[in-house]
Amino acid sequence: MSRIYLDHAATSPLRPQAREAVERGFEIWANPSSPHAEGRAARAALEDARARVKAALGWEGEVIFTSGASEALAIGLGQAKADRRLVSAVEHDAVFRAAPDAEILTLGKDQDRHACVDREVLAESLARPGRSIVAVQSINSETGTVLLPHGDDSVARQVREGGGLLLADCSQSAGKVPLPDADMIVVSAHKLGGPIGIGALLVKDYAMLEPTGGHERGYRQGTENLPGALGFAAALEVGGVETWLTSYPERFEFKDLLGRGGDVLRPGLQCSHIIAVSAKRLAAAVTLIKLDAMGFAISAGSACSSGTLKRSRALEAFGVDEDVAARTVRISIGWNTTVSQLDAFAEAWQAVASEAQSRA
């Protein structure tokens, strides 16, 4: 049996349409900032890609192309015209690197009982002197928990009423579900079938940022990645994971199949393409090794931290027991995941879990 890849939250295979677009981009080899005819042609192609990204995401503000989500976070948090940085406790490590002195916002539950930043803590923080930029992710990369549900703009409204700016890290949701209401949004191409090395910071108004000089209207250093931008636009235009999901909603009963041999973590409202599950008697590393040997690629949390022995910051903040966290793995689907692959994985999981229970 060929291997089955279920680690799309780490990176997703390049879509054929994106590959073709990148190859076309390499034919337009000039620097988009050069004034000659070749440079102007490259600039025209870059601006076309920018317009296509905006249209595909339904964004009416500005688009700053970056090398990926990490750089977009660094620009948004580092160059925002704000005095203080507030970040939710379950943000990706890249957020904490971009804002090492940020104030951490603990989690609570809103009136619908889904995970959210603690509103009272947020209100107290916003009331302090100085303008704040608040970073809250759209979907958590380790559990699939939705922190900014589509259609619920209450967090954005509270931040703005407190005089602040909301930055939403949509690395795991952009191109899959509609964007949340936010002043700045971080997008990564390789999470949705685009090329590695390209992303974007969406900003409602350039006036929210301090310019640094250089490219991208003076808000980013470095020559623009034209092939990457074209591949990014092409990947977005093909359609996201949710397009696939609407065709097979019943297949996600496989979450319950997994639950028979373990515990599915649901700290709050759950997305459809990232699932965290813990085997009852197996450490995460053992589960990964066994399933890898059976031909399945999954992971244990964020790809940026899964190789460490540290307890997951996100799982701890979600209140997951330390023992459960040590047994938790992540399954994430993407644009080329099939029903038969999910069925095969559910069977493999049951086999691994049953073996562990029989040896107990």
Side-chain angles (χ1 to χ4, degrees):
M1 181 183 72
S2 60
R3 289 186 60 81
I4 294 176
Y5 184 80
L6 296 172
D7 195 20
H8 290 262
T11 194
S12 201
L14 189 64
R15 290 177 180 268
Q17 299 89 341
R19 183 186 299 274
E20 293 173 4
V22 169
E23 291 174 352
R24 289 197 301 273
F26 282 125
E27 296 175 359
I28 312 173
W29 45 265
N31 189 323
S33 295
S34 296
H36 45 60
E38 291 82 358
R40 295 196 302 274
R43 170 59 61 182
L46 182 69
E47 295 311 315
D48 178 65
R50 197 187 313 276
R52 290 163 57 198
V53 166
K54 290 174 63 173
L57 291 172
W59 182 251
E60 297 181 355
E62 309 295 346
V63 173
I64 300 172
F65 283 125
T66 66
S67 61
S70 293
E71 186 188 11
L73 287 165
I75 294 173
L77 290 168
Q79 296 173 215
K81 291 180 179 178
D83 304 294
R84 295 180 298 119
R85 275 69 183 158
L86 314 178
V87 306
S88 86
V90 295
E91 297 302 301
H92 191 278
D93 283 350
V95 172
F96 293 96
R97 289 194 293 269
D101 299 324
E103 178 181 336
I104 310 302
L105 299 173
T106 55
L107 297 187
K109 297 280 187 179
D110 73 357
Q111 63 271 20
D112 296 320
R113 304 299 296 166
H114 74 71
C116 182
V117 293
D118 189 303
R119 298 305 181 82
E120 292 185 3
V121 172
L122 178 58
E124 292 173 0
S125 297
L126 290 170
R128 294 178 189 138
R131 191 185 202 188
S132 297
I133 180 167
V134 182
V136 180
Q137 60 193 197
S138 171
I139 292 176
N140 183 262
S141 63
E142 296 186 43
T143 64
T145 304
V146 180
L147 275 77
L148 295 175
H150 175 59
D152 181 353
D153 64 353
S154 57
V155 173
R157 188 167 57 251
Q158 181 178 2
V159 170
R160 291 178 187 134
E161 289 174 353
L165 300 171
L166 177 63
L167 181 150
D169 181 359
C170 294
S171 300
Q172 299 294 346
S173 64
K176 301 168 187 173
V177 295
L179 298 177
D181 182 15
D183 301 294
M184 300 183 199
I185 289 178
V186 170
V187 184
S188 174
H190 74 98
K191 306 290 189 180
L192 50 88
I196 292 174
I198 186 74
L201 175 67
L202 314 185
V203 57
K204 283 195 171 181
D205 191 328
Y206 285 131
M208 295 176 175
L209 298 171
E210 292 286 357
T212 59
H215 300 281
E216 291 298 283
R217 308 298 198 279
Y219 293 92
R220 178 188 182 256
Q221 303 292 325
T223 302
E224 295 95 339
N225 178 0
L226 173 58
L230 293 173
F232 189 5
L236 280 170
E237 290 171 340
V238 176
V241 170
E242 290 297 324
T243 303
W244 184 96
L245 291 178
T246 55
S247 301
Y248 302 99
E250 74 281 1
R251 298 312 306 177
F252 283 84
E253 64 188 21
F254 97 101
K255 289 190 289 189
D256 296 321
L257 292 177
L258 293 174
R260 296 176 192 169
D263 299 309
V264 178
L265 274 62
R266 296 187 178 94
L269 184 65
Q270 182 75 27
C271 77
S272 300
H273 54 281
I274 300 174
I275 300 163
V277 61
S278 62
K280 293 189 182 300
R281 292 183 174 86
L282 288 178
V286 176
T287 302
L288 293 179
I289 291 170
K290 287 182 175 291
L291 287 167
D292 186 48
M294 297 170 71
F296 298 91
I298 62 172
S299 66
S302 168
C304 299
S305 59
S306 59
T308 72
L309 297 177
K310 296 186 299 182
R311 182 181 179 186
S312 163
R313 184 205 309 267
L315 295 185
E316 183 176 7
F318 277 127
V320 177
D321 180 80
E322 186 172 359
D323 176 65
V324 174
R327 294 184 280 109
T328 297
V329 297
R330 178 185 69 184
I331 305 110
S332 51
I333 72 170
W335 65 270
N336 62 350
T337 306
T338 66
V339 171
S340 60
Q341 288 177 339
L342 295 179
D343 287 341
F345 179 78
E347 292 179 8
W349 173 270
Q350 290 295 313
V352 169
S354 297
E355 179 186 7
Q357 290 177 11
S358 67
R359 293 180 178 181

